[in-house]
Structures are given as C-alpha cells and as structure tokens.
Amino acid sequence: MAPDGSRSDDLLGYPNTIEDVSTGASITFLENSVDEQGAYLLMEGVLPPGIDSGPARLHPRAEAHSEVVTGRASVTVRGEIHTLLPGESLTIEIGEAHSIRNSGTDTLVVRTMLRPPGEFEAAIRALYEASAGGEPDLLAVAAVLSHYRADVRLTVVPWWLQRPLLSVLARISTVLGQNPIR
C-alpha cells in the first residue's frame, strides 16, 4: 500500500509493460479494475516464435480467459494441447494447470482477463525481476512463489511437497538477502 492508502501497483498507471530480455517475451498490463462481474486484470502477453510462458502453473483462486490476437498458440490445459488461432479463445478454470507456447512462425499476442486478479500482477513483476538477466535466481523465485501462493503455483511438484519446500527456500533467501519480497 502507498502512503495515501492506494495500492502501490495503481501508482504505475496503465498500460505498463514488463519484459524478459533473455527471451523477448513481455506482458503489458492494460487494466486492473472492477466491472459488473467483479474485479479483473486485463493483460496482453507477447511471445516470440518458439518461446513458451514457462513451466505449467495454476491459479488457485482465479479463472483466466485468453484470446489469441495474433499468431498461433499451443495452450496446454490439464495435459491436453489446444491450438488457438487469431480470434479463438479458451477459458482456464480455477486450479487448472496450464501453459502456453508460440507454436507459429509469427509473434504470438494473447489477451487474457484474470478474475479475480488477486496479487497476480505483483507476483509476475517479482518473478520477472528474479529472472532479470536471463538466469533466474532460484532462491528469489522460491520466495516469490511462496509469498504469492494464493495467486500462482507451479504444477511440476505436488503442492503438498512444494509448499514446505518453498517456505524453507524463502527463509534461506531472506537470510542471504536475496528475497525480493520486502
């Protein structure tokens, strides 16, 4: 929270973009607002050809609706691959494991609405920061994932094992001064 009581991400203004310089991928946060259906975060992800969104993940409390603007997306949801072309969309329900890959030869642009957004934007900003320069700081990533576990979780390790492991690694990152969550 900012001193005036507003959320700190409100101070950034919209739209605003973060970029992974090692891959050329980026996310532009377009809106964080409320409409008649409730709170939402609208964002646009850009993936160069052959690049993916990272390891499979899930949103424990949010639903994502993604539409391809340009390019060809291979979206994996619960292990099933869906190919989406411009104008096609897919809803990823709460808790569904998913990932996306640019399977085409053109830049992929995907517009996603996340409802409710929770602190997903802050989580992604912190994860991008932990990966600055192309080599992720694994302790910093663990600290971010531990802190924002209500908004994003990896699915490569079962949650019953991941949760205590992330907690221990987050404590280690704090002791070593590598925890980006302050």
Side-chain angles (χ1 to χ4, degrees):
M1 296 290 254
D4 67 357
S6 66
R7 290 191 345 227
S8 58
D9 59 337
D10 290 340
L11 301 176
L12 298 171
Y14 291 94
N16 62 75
T17 302
I18 57 174
E19 184 176 355
D20 179 343
V21 294
S22 67
T23 65
S26 66
I27 298 175
T28 299
F29 298 100
L30 301 169
E31 295 177 34
N32 190 338
S33 192
V34 178
D35 64 12
E36 63 280 348
Q37 296 175 33
Y40 69 90
L41 174 64
L42 183 63
M43 58 197 147
E44 220 168 62
V46 176
L47 294 173
I51 300 298
D52 62 42
S53 61
R57 67 200 157 283
L58 62 83
H59 307 288
R61 302 185 302 186
E63 173 183 278
H65 181 79
S66 297
E67 179 179 347
V68 173
V69 177
T70 63
R72 177 187 179 100
S74 291
V75 183
T76 303
V77 180
R78 286 178 282 122
E80 184 179 333
I81 299 173
H82 304 267
T83 300
L84 300 178
L85 300 173
E88 296 179 333
S89 62
L90 180 69
T91 298
I92 300 163
E93 301 295 334
I94 293 171
E96 287 187 323
H98 63 280
S99 64
I100 186 167
R101 179 172 185 74
N102 182 343
S103 57
T105 57
D106 297 321
T107 297
L108 172 64
V109 178
V110 177
R111 185 170 281 208
T112 298
M113 183 172 287
L114 192 69
R115 287 183 185 271
E119 293 186 84
F120 180 77
E121 181 178 350
I124 293 303
R125 288 182 179 287
L127 286 170
Y128 267 58
E129 181 181 313
S131 297
E135 286 298 318
D137 177 335
L138 296 180
L139 289 175
V141 168
V144 170
L145 291 173
S146 179
H147 183 81
Y148 292 107
R149 64 187 171 273
D151 296 297
V152 63
R153 295 180 188 164
L154 299 181
T155 61
V156 294
V157 176
W159 184 240
W160 63 267
L161 177 59
Q162 188 179 158
R163 183 175 183 172
L165 183 60
L166 289 174
S167 180
V168 167
L169 293 173
R171 278 188 237 129
I172 292 169
S173 74
T174 299
V175 168
L176 296 176
Q178 295 175 258
N179 189 336
I181 308 299
R182 303 194 194 329

